Amino acid sequence: MKRALIAFGIAGPALFAVGIAIAAWLTEQHVAAQVDARAVRAFEAAQQEVSSARLDKLRQRARILAADGATAAYISDALAQATGGVPVDAASISDLLSERRVELDLDSIAVIDINGKVVAGTRGWSTPQTLYRDAVASGGLVAGVVRDGDKLHLVALAPLQLSGVVDGHYLVSTAIDADLLGDVASLALVDVAVFDRQQNLLTASAERSDWIAPGTPLFGSDAFEMRVALRNAISPSRWPWLLPWVLGTALWVVLLMVLWRTAVAPFDQACALLERAARGNFHQRAPRWTGGTAGRFAAAFDALMVKFGP
C-alpha cells in the first residue's frame, strides 16, 4: 500500500503539472490570437486613416497647383516655344517648379507634355504610364502608387491647362518611406512594412522578419501590400513553465496528506491494534472512528475486546 502510494505520489505531480501546463498553453494561445486580431484591426484602421489623410493632402496640393494660372501660363508658353527642333527650356520650368514645390510642401513636381513625356521637374522622373493613361482618359485628377527604381511614391496627376486647353499634366508626389509607415505604426502600436507582388521588402518602419502575410493593399494598389508585425507579441516560450509544476506539486502534496490521514494512517493503526490483541492485550480500544469502513472496524474491534477481555 505504501509503495503504491509513493509511486502514485511521484507520478501524480508530473501528470497533474502536465495537465496544468497544457491548459495554460491553450489559454495563452487563445489570448495571443485575440491580441493579434485586435492589433491587426487597429493596423487596418490606422492605415485607412493615414492613407486617406495623405491622399487628400496630395490631391489638394495638386488642385492648388493646377489652379495657379500664372504658373500654367509660363509653362504653356515654354512648351509652345519648343517647336521646329527647339528644345523645351527645362531649366527655367524646373526652377519655377522648385519654388512651387517648397510652397506646397511636396517631395517633387514634374511636367508631362502632351505627348506623355516628362520634360522638366525637380527630380528625374519617368512617366508613370498606367497613371498617365488614367489621367488622359478621365480628363481630371488621378492618384496612385508609383514605383521608381527601389522607391515608392504617392503620385497625383492633374491637367495643365490654360483657357480650357490641356497642354500637359502636372505630376506631384510624396515619398512612401519609413516616416509615412511610422505614422501608421504609431497609431496602431505595430511595425509596418511594404512588399511588392514578388514578396520583396521595399520599405519598413522597423527591421523585423516576422511580417504577417497576406497584407492589405497599399493606398488601394494591388501591386503592393502593407504588412504588420506585432510589438511585444505573446510567445509560448515566454510562459514560466516552472509555475505549473510548482502549483501542481503543491496541490498534489495536499491531496496526498489528506489521503494519508483518511486511508493510510487508519489502516496502520488498525494493524497495530490487531497485533497487540494477538499478544493478549484485550484492554485496548479502537480510536473514535465514526462512519465508513473505519467506523465499522472500530465498533467490531471494541465488541471483540469486551467479549475476550476480563
Side-chain angles (χ1 to χ4, degrees):
M1 178 70 175
K2 288 184 179 180
R3 291 181 179 179
L5 188 62
I6 292 173
F8 188 62
I10 294 175
L15 295 174
F16 194 80
V18 168
I20 291 181
I22 292 174
W25 182 82
L26 292 174
T27 301
E28 182 185 45
Q29 295 304 304
H30 177 69
V31 171
Q34 291 183 324
V35 171
D36 292 356
R38 286 196 295 268
V40 171
R41 288 195 297 271
F43 154 69
E44 292 174 350
Q47 183 195 11
Q48 181 63 36
E49 180 179 343
V50 173
S51 298
S52 297
R54 291 299 180 103
L55 278 171
D56 289 346
K57 178 181 177 181
L58 189 67
R59 291 188 180 109
Q60 180 189 40
R61 299 295 192 272
R63 291 189 181 99
I64 292 173
L65 179 62
D68 184 351
T71 300
Y74 183 89
I75 296 175
S76 294
D77 183 61
L79 293 176
Q81 293 179 17
T83 58
V86 178
V88 174
D89 187 3
S92 63
I93 295 177
S94 297
D95 289 342
L96 176 61
L97 295 179
S98 295
E99 296 176 4
R100 302 299 285 135
R101 183 193 69 81
V102 174
E103 294 171 0
L104 295 173
D105 188 25
L106 291 166
D107 287 342
S108 69
I109 303 178
V111 171
I112 303 174
D113 67 13
I114 198 68
N115 298 314
K117 179 183 176 181
V118 176
V119 295
T122 59
R123 65 179 294 274
W125 268 105
S126 298
T127 303
Q129 295 298 332
T130 301
L131 204 61
Y132 178 72
R133 286 194 296 269
D134 292 343
V136 172
S138 68
L141 188 150
V142 297
V145 178
V146 174
R147 184 173 184 174
D148 184 42
D150 60 347
K151 303 295 184 181
L152 290 178
H153 303 269
L154 189 59
V155 173
L157 298 184
L160 190 167
Q161 57 186 351
L162 192 65
S163 301
V165 179
V166 176
D167 293 322
H169 287 82
Y170 290 110
L171 182 155
V172 300
S173 74
T174 183
I176 299 176
D177 53 16
D179 291 338
L180 186 148
L181 300 185
D183 292 342
V184 178
S186 62
L187 286 176
L189 301 179
V190 295
D191 292 320
V192 182
V194 175
F195 289 78
D196 61 15
R197 286 179 177 175
Q198 289 71 42
Q199 310 302 313
N200 297 313
L201 175 63
L202 301 179
T203 184
S205 63
E207 292 186 5
R208 298 283 295 268
S209 60
D210 54 340
W211 305 106
I212 299 175
T216 57
L218 176 66
F219 290 98
S221 172
D222 293 330
F224 309 97
E225 65 177 20
M226 192 178 289
R227 297 182 185 176
V228 62
L230 306 179
R231 297 176 182 175
N232 301 320
I234 298 175
S235 171
S237 62
R238 296 185 179 183
W239 177 263
W241 290 99
L242 183 60
L243 183 59
W245 289 90
V246 172
L247 294 176
T249 301
L251 184 56
W252 201 257
V253 168
V254 172
L255 293 176
L256 286 178
M257 291 176 62
V258 173
L259 182 62
W260 183 274
R261 293 186 61 181
T262 58
V264 179
F267 181 78
D268 282 346
Q269 289 179 288
C271 288
L273 289 171
L274 292 173
E275 287 172 350
R276 288 194 293 270
R279 292 194 295 267
N281 182 358
F282 301 119
H283 297 283
Q284 60 183 336
R285 295 291 183 270
R288 295 181 178 179
W289 294 327
T290 59
T293 303
R296 290 167 56 197
F297 174 84
F301 183 82
D302 289 346
L304 285 173
M305 292 303 98
V306 171
K307 182 176 180 180
F308 293 109

